[in-house]
Amino acid sequence: GTFTEAAALKHFGHAVDARPLTTISEVFRDVDAGDLDYGVVPVENSTEGMVTHTLECFLESPLVICGEVEMRIHQALMARPGTTMANVRAIYSHQQSLAQCRLWLDANLPNAERHTVSSNAEAARLVSESAADSGWVAVAGEQAAETYGLDLLANSIEDRPDNTTRFLVIGRQDTDPSGSDKTSLIVSVKNEPGALYRLLEPFQRHGIDMTRLESRPSHAGVWSYRFFIDFVGHAKDTTVERFLDEIRAQASELKILGSYPRAVL
């Protein structure tokens, strides 16, 4: 009943054996152990930005990115049958979904308490098992209402109509070039004047289209950072190979997370 399940089905089809796990780190662990062939995890939302838990998992994991999925995200408000907007007292959802609907919830349910849980599906399950007069509601996708037998009180309550989430497919093997690819990597540089400029200048000189730059604190020391970078191209492309050789010479650490086909929305 989660958007991650919907992304998995969009990528692999409905014949796949999809197994739910509680946390992003569990997905990484079970794919790494060979219990699952692939995992699907959220990494970025157009409204709320990066999913930092996913980025942190890549730091210690040997897994690579095999693909990406982009989905328009439409949030719904759901409750046990008989619940009305007038008697809503508590709202349950994942923190990202609550943030994506912040303005709507402020305007329509300003007095309801908001509670974060591990996933939208968990929110829907809790609401489905609550007392009939609890006044609990969940924010989740419409599929969760069908899965857990809840009524929809409102549809499309996200603050932005173009609300989109990007998911990554993780696995244990590299992906060959498809002709329309993206590459993700982690880079660290020495803390010295001009270090970031020297890291970024080759993008312009080689005509590499960088689509994301995200900094995260490094565990190497206080006020040191790693950069998560996405760019268009495959690591096996000749131009990209030369570009990566230059980046590697500037970096104190470089880890290619994977080259994979670009998502089609």
Side-chain angles (χ1 to χ4, degrees), residues 38-39 44 61 72 79 101 128 136 151 169 237-238 241 265:
Y38 297 97
E44 182 177 12
S61 174
R72 285 274 194 264
C101 305
S128 72
W136 290 10
D151 284 352
V169 180
D237 297 342
T238 302
E241 286 180 338
L265 185 60

Side-chain angles (χ1 to χ4, degrees), residues 112-156:
E113 296 179 354
R114 300 176 196 179
H115 302 275
T116 60
V117 292
S118 59
S119 72
N120 294 339
E122 175 65 7
R125 185 192 68 79
L126 287 172
V127 170
S128 72
E129 297 177 357
S130 65
D133 61 348
S134 67
W136 290 10
V137 296
V139 173
E142 291 186 13
Q143 180 61 41
E146 181 179 337
T147 300
Y148 295 98
L150 301 175
D151 284 352
L152 295 177
L153 301 184
N155 291 312
S156 299

Side-chain angles (χ1 to χ4, degrees), residues 27-245:
V27 178
F28 275 82
R29 181 198 64 201
D30 284 11
V31 175
D32 187 24
D35 296 334
L36 303 172
D37 296 314
Y38 297 97
V40 179
V41 292
V43 70
E44 182 177 12
N45 177 261
S46 61
T47 302
E48 286 302 305
M50 303 309 300
V51 180
T52 56
H53 190 180
T54 297
L55 298 184
E56 294 294 332
C57 286
F58 275 116
L59 295 176
E60 305 299 332
S61 174
L63 299 178
V64 296
I65 304 170
C66 305
E68 66 173 356
V69 185
E70 289 186 0
M71 291 186 60
R72 285 274 194 264
I73 301 298
H74 299 294
Q75 305 282 3
L77 191 73
M78 57 196 68
R80 284 176 56 103
T83 303
T84 65
M85 292 285 288
N87 58 21
V88 172
R89 293 196 290 270
I91 307 166
Y92 290 81
S93 192
H94 188 275
Q95 61 181 7
Q96 280 263 344
S97 293
L98 290 175
Q100 292 166 26
C101 305
R102 185 182 296 113
L103 297 179
W104 191 95
L105 295 174
D106 287 347
N108 293 276
L109 295 169
N111 298 318
E113 296 179 354
R114 300 176 196 179
H115 302 275
T116 60
V117 292
S118 59
S119 72
N120 294 339
E122 175 65 7
R125 185 192 68 79
L126 287 172
V127 170
S128 72
E129 297 177 357
S130 65
D133 61 348
S134 67
W136 290 10
V137 296
V139 173
E142 291 186 13
Q143 180 61 41
E146 181 179 337
T147 300
Y148 295 98
L150 301 175
D151 284 352
L152 295 177
L153 301 184
N155 291 312
S156 299
I157 66 172
E158 63 278 359
D159 296 331
R160 294 184 58 89
D162 59 351
N163 187 37
T164 303
T165 295
R166 177 175 169 237
F167 301 84
L168 297 178
V169 180
I170 56 175
R172 297 183 298 277
Q173 70 288 321
D174 294 328
T175 304
D176 290 330
S178 70
S180 179
D181 299 294
K182 185 184 288 185
T183 297
S184 298
L185 46 83
I186 301 173
V187 186
S188 296
V189 293
K190 295 178 181 178
N191 187 8
E192 59 187 24
L196 182 57
Y197 169 79
R198 290 191 295 272
L199 175 67
L200 299 180
E201 188 273 336
F203 282 91
Q204 189 275 332
R205 183 157 36 82
H206 288 277
I208 302 294
D209 180 10
M210 182 170 59
T211 59
R212 180 170 66 93
L213 173 65
E214 182 82 12
S215 64
R216 295 293 303 157
S218 169
H219 303 310
V222 178
W223 311 126
S224 61
Y225 293 88
R226 287 184 171 101
F227 297 96
F228 289 80
I229 299 175
D230 292 342
F231 62 86
V232 176
H234 195 284
K236 292 182 179 179
D237 297 342
T238 302
T239 300
V240 174
E241 286 180 338
R242 291 198 298 266
F243 158 77
L244 287 174
D245 285 341

